[in-house]
Amino acid sequence: MDRGKPGSKMHILSDANGLPLLVGVSAGNTHDGEGLKPMVAGHQTRHDPHRGRYFKPERLHADKAYDRPDLRKWLRGKRIGVRIARKGIESSERLGRRRWMIERTMSWLSGYRRLSPRYERDPRNYLAFLGLAAALCCYKRLVRLAT
């Protein structure tokens, strides 16, 4: 938590390949863990009508900022596997095999000139540009896989 920091934080929910699924913005002086519940709750699950089941995330990988008992309990209640580094117990190096994907996604999004220094005063406009950048990242990845 950055106590007196003005500005905003980007929250990104991505798949295992690093493609952004959901983006969000919060105030710069709020704790990172406050952005997790809205992101997971806002993620739309898909329904397969032939098999009669929903597709939901199986596991959530996160860093030590999200190590809170209430978040762990909430995720277990949603039947999502929790893989969050514990503060003071686990080394963050063991989780690096999966978490570098989200760091790469953050660098992709920060590469867009409009997002890196925040020019927009209205958070809705900033969120719209963040969503557009995420869509462009997905499109570039799709084009690269198709060729």
Side-chain angles (χ1 to χ4, degrees):
M1 177 159 84
D2 300 324
R3 288 175 185 84
K5 181 181 176 186
S8 59
K9 290 183 183 178
M10 289 189 289
H11 297 281
I12 300 170
L13 186 68
S14 73
D15 66 352
N17 296 320
L19 290 177
L21 300 174
L22 192 64
V23 294
V25 177
S26 68
N29 60 354
T30 59
H31 192 273
D32 289 338
E34 299 296 322
L36 182 66
K37 282 186 183 180
M39 295 296 285
V40 173
H43 179 62
Q44 297 291 322
T45 57
R46 294 181 304 166
H47 179 67
D48 185 4
H50 301 293
R51 295 184 182 169
R53 65 180 187 164
Y54 287 94
F55 293 100
K56 64 176 182 58
E58 293 178 12
R59 280 183 298 281
L60 177 81
H61 292 267
D63 60 0
K64 293 180 182 184
Y66 298 95
D67 183 27
R68 292 181 14 197
D70 61 323
L71 290 177
R72 287 179 180 273
K73 184 178 178 181
W74 184 76
L75 288 167
R76 281 191 201 111
K78 291 199 162 286
R79 295 184 180 151
I80 298 174
V82 179
R83 188 66 179 109
I84 300 174
R86 296 192 184 268
K87 293 179 184 174
I89 298 174
E90 292 185 63
S91 169
S92 61
E93 295 169 1
R94 288 182 55 207
L95 292 172
R97 292 189 309 260
R98 302 276 184 205
R99 281 200 347 248
W100 75 271
M101 294 283 190
I102 194 67
E103 297 299 330
R104 182 184 67 181
T105 305
M106 295 286 277
S107 71
W108 284 346
L109 294 177
S110 297
Y112 289 97
R113 185 172 156 232
R114 191 75 183 198
L115 296 176
S116 187
R118 183 176 168 174
Y119 293 115
E120 302 299 321
R121 295 185 67 82
D122 189 5
R124 292 177 295 187
N125 291 344
Y126 184 71
L127 183 61
F129 279 118
L130 186 60
L132 182 62
L136 286 173
C137 287
C138 292
Y139 176 73
K140 287 179 180 180
R141 185 71 181 258
L142 178 67
V143 167
R144 192 172 70 183
L145 291 176
T147 59

